Amino acid sequence: RYMKNINKITIMNICSTILLQGIAFFSAPIFTRLLGAEQYGYYSIFSSWSALLTCIMGFGVGSTLATGKYRFRDVYYEFRSSILLFGTLLSLIVSGIILLIIRPLSYVLGYEPWSIVLVLLSSISQYVIGFAQGVYVYEKEARKNFILSVVISILSVVWSVLLILSFSESKRYMGRIYGFLIPHILAAFFVWCTIFLKKPIGLKKRYIQFAFIVGFPTIFHTLAHS
């Protein structure tokens, strides 16, 4: 029965990957046609900055879920909630620092301040979703991971198309950004509450100390990968 469950989880994870890649493959020509090369490039830059900043959000604490599941086996749900809260607070602190210098930063980068705010919202929501996906993988909840990934991908495509068509031709890339951002923010809020409220707890020193020491070096790995 154990092997049957493992096979089922493996098959669902493979199907999830294939389906997500299929959605990305078939939706790309739609967006390039709707946006054109220049505006598609604007969205690609937004997406790249979001991906890079997501690596910093949470300071890598989500990467400690696997080891923490065994190290804190008897209090795992406490550990999970505590480091989720810790990672979220770290993300808000990073965002707060960026917002304090948003004017000079926007001047140096050549972006409007509001676009930097959107990147921050995207990065925080992607950090939370990544944390949730880590939870589902290490807890062998392949079905939840599958549903979360597919629902976000489909909603992102559908909302993006609808919003792109509602914007003026010169601002259609904003429809793609908002179409990506809204499902991610809603999903992040939902999974955050679901995970944290399973065993709500504040910051516990032994959990956050372990998560920070083990997780922080992974920032450089994820940044290098990106």
Side-chain angles (χ1 to χ4, degrees):
R1 185 174 180 178
Y2 175 77
M3 288 303 299
K4 185 177 179 180
N5 288 336
I6 292 295
N7 290 336
K8 185 178 179 181
I9 291 169
T10 303
I11 291 169
M12 189 163 286
N13 285 330
I14 292 171
C15 289
S16 175
T17 302
I18 293 171
L19 186 57
L20 291 175
Q21 290 179 346
I23 292 171
F25 179 79
F26 287 108
S27 64
I30 297 173
F31 291 125
T32 53
R33 189 175 184 85
L34 287 172
L35 296 175
E38 185 178 1
Q39 293 199 52
Y40 191 81
Y42 292 157
Y43 170 74
S44 297
I45 292 170
F46 167 84
S47 181
S48 298
W49 276 110
S50 297
L52 286 172
L53 202 54
T54 301
C55 298
I56 300 171
M57 294 299 182
F59 281 53
V61 297
S63 63
T64 65
L65 283 165
T67 50
K69 192 173 188 298
Y70 295 97
R71 185 182 181 95
F72 304 106
R73 183 181 289 110
D74 297 333
V75 287
Y76 167 68
Y77 290 114
E78 280 191 6
F79 165 77
R80 191 181 73 172
S81 294
S82 188
I83 67 167
L84 173 60
L85 178 61
F86 179 56
T88 306
L89 291 175
L90 288 175
S91 301
L92 293 175
I93 290 170
V94 170
S95 300
I97 293 171
I98 292 174
L99 291 175
L100 287 174
I101 58 170
I102 194 168
R103 290 293 177 183
L105 189 63
S106 65
Y107 176 78
V108 171
L109 295 177
Y111 300 138
E112 294 292 334
W114 58 263
S115 63
I116 297 175
V117 172
L118 294 182
V119 169
L120 291 174
L121 291 172
S122 173
S123 302
I124 294 173
S125 62
Q126 287 187 79
Y127 154 69
V128 174
I129 291 169
F131 188 99
Q133 289 174 327
V135 167
Y136 299 149
V137 168
Y138 297 127
E139 295 178 14
K140 297 181 175 61
E141 296 279 2
R143 184 174 298 174
K144 290 182 180 179
N145 192 28
F146 177 84
I147 292 171
L148 176 65
S149 301
V150 171
V151 167
I152 291 175
S153 295
I154 292 175
L155 287 179
S156 294
V157 172
V158 173
W159 281 2
S160 291
V161 171
L162 294 175
L163 289 172
I164 285 170
L165 296 175
S166 68
F167 276 85
S168 63
E169 195 166 337
S170 62
K171 294 287 185 180
R172 283 188 164 185
Y173 70 95
M174 292 302 302
R176 179 66 178 117
I177 289 174
Y178 284 122
F180 172 87
L181 192 57
I182 293 170
H184 279 77
I185 291 175
L186 294 176
F189 178 77
F190 174 77
V191 296
W192 196 98
C193 292
T194 302
I195 292 171
F196 184 77
L197 295 177
K198 174 83 173 181
K199 188 73 175 181
I201 192 172
L203 302 176
K204 281 208 166 185
K205 184 178 178 181
R206 66 173 180 148
Y207 300 151
I208 63 176
Q209 189 175 41
F210 170 81
F212 185 78
I213 292 172
V214 176
F216 184 76
T218 64
I219 293 176
F220 305 102
H221 170 73
T222 53
L223 279 172
H225 183 71
S226 294

